[in-house]
Amino acid sequence: MKFKSLLAKPFASIIANKVKKEMQRAVEDQESIWQELMKTGRKTEFGKDHQFENIQSYEAFKQAVPVRDYEQFKPYIEKIKEGKHNILWKGQPIYFAKTSGTTSGVKYIPITKESVDHHFNTSRNAVFCNVVETGDTSVFDGKLIFLSGSPELERVGGIPTGRLSGIANHQIPRYLRTNQLPTYETNCIEDWETKLGKIVEETINADMRLISGIPPWMQMYFDRLMAQSGKSVGELFPNFKLLVHGGVNFEPYKAKLIDSIGRKVTTIETFPASEGFFAFQDSQEQEGLLLNTNSGIFFEFIPATEIFNENPTRIPLKEVKTGVNYALIVSTNAGLWAYNIGDTVKFVSTNPYRIVVTGRTKHFISAFGEHVIGEEVEQSLMGVADTSGVRITEFTVAPRIQVNGELPYHEWFVEFEQVPDNLEAFALQVDQQLRNKNIYYEDLLTGNILQPLKIRPVRKNGFIDYMKSIGKLGGQNKVPRLSNDRRIADELGNYLAGR
């Protein structure tokens, strides 16, 4: 056993024991965090605008502080960018996490000295919990890779600004720096394909043991490794045993990633975001991700069906129920207050509090009142794919409303590794699965309001090429799995037709 492995074992035990204790006092920790947030918030411009000094209870907080999204928070962010202090949190943020989606513009999410450590420490906790569960510390004896954005930061209003993954790169402790690949210079390359080529060059002969990133970009890395070496990833890296993933649902990518590796490896799921690190997989034996209840984040939950209501139901952690789809609302020690991050979750356990991520509040289809969510779409497609032995590379879904002489339908753009021999039969099976999961969708088909879904096959690397064409290849960018309008579908369709 090497020196780092030897040191890792007792340290991992300390961390895992801390995590277990926090499981038991989650509600108490949440109440303490709320009190601490309010204490600091009273001294800020936001706190004064919302009369924090008069708020003595959570019920009063709900009345005084409405749920907001980024656009509604933007006036406060703009003041911080102008160099003003004590706006959302004391002083100024130490970073802005710059984030942008396919459907929205650039956002600047504050990260403070109080919040920054949690962005790295939660990943560490996930790995150390696995070390304790398996007893295997050998992952620290070789090389680790974090597929991330550039760690080079610009300054916005004097504040260092960049992608969250690039910021997190600065937080990696010294004891892991000698294990980390790729080099800093390679990580700073902006063009994803050039960067990927250099990453492969630097790692193809290394003793890789832990690989981390969002699944579609890990798959691109694996594809490039296999093309260059002629070997599976597992053959190339015989000591590779830990794959850490987050950012998107793993299931649609899992089969192909494991096939690329060629053998079983341990996978750890995480739920990071620029707004905070919300949950992580603490056990291979339990379903779901452990909610990060002692990390400077106060959680609230709104039933997803009410998220766009004028006065939705808002509840704290202690009132949640299993099996209900909730929109996730956070107040944080980075200065976010009742902030709608746009993700939906479902509790699979309340002792301890474990969740699964079910989708995005803005990523749904209800063009006809069907209320189809991401979880239903992914489970329907991947369920049929698994039973049919079909591999899916990527997909997105949108409503097709204007159809000449036909009933409207949901159009599914799907990139297959190999298109099923009978695509129409495959589509009907997926449609039946979706009907079984969503009664509103079933009623619309039964009532002849909609016709069954249609699948439009996408050529190999079609999604990658499309993302490249709009300047969003690599990093943390991904195509939404479903949309309630046709902007992305039409852009993708037009791009593919023009190739």
Side-chain angles (χ1 to χ4, degrees), residues 186-300:
T186 293
N187 251 338
C188 290
I189 297 171
E190 288 291 345
D191 180 74
W192 174 251
E193 289 190 292
T194 303
K195 180 174 181 172
L196 188 57
K198 287 293 290 181
I199 290 172
V200 169
E201 181 183 317
E202 291 181 10
T203 60
I204 197 165
N205 295 313
D207 180 16
M208 302 305 303
R209 304 210 177 185
L210 183 153
I211 298 174
S212 175
I214 70 168
W217 308 122
M218 284 196 286
Q219 187 61 63
M220 288 181 68
Y221 172 53
F222 286 177
D223 288 345
R224 191 74 68 90
L225 284 169
M226 291 188 295
Q228 192 159 322
S229 69
K231 299 179 180 179
S232 71
V233 175
E235 291 174 312
L236 197 58
F237 304 140
N239 296 317
F240 169 42
K241 57 182 63 182
L242 200 56
L243 185 150
V244 182
H245 60 91
V248 297
N249 185 6
F250 187 54
E251 285 305 313
Y253 303 97
K254 182 177 180 179
K256 188 176 180 183
L257 282 166
I258 298 302
D259 187 58
S260 299
I261 297 166
R263 57 179 169 79
K264 184 179 178 181
V265 297
T266 299
T267 63
I268 298 177
E269 183 176 0
T270 60
F271 183 14
S274 298
E275 297 86 353
F277 208 129
F278 302 124
F280 65 97
Q281 185 178 356
D282 66 306
S283 172
Q284 295 293 310
E285 299 175 0
Q286 303 296 325
E287 181 186 6
L289 311 181
L290 185 68
L291 196 67
N292 213 358
T293 53
N294 190 30
S295 61
I297 302 169
F298 177 72
F299 293 100
E300 296 179 85

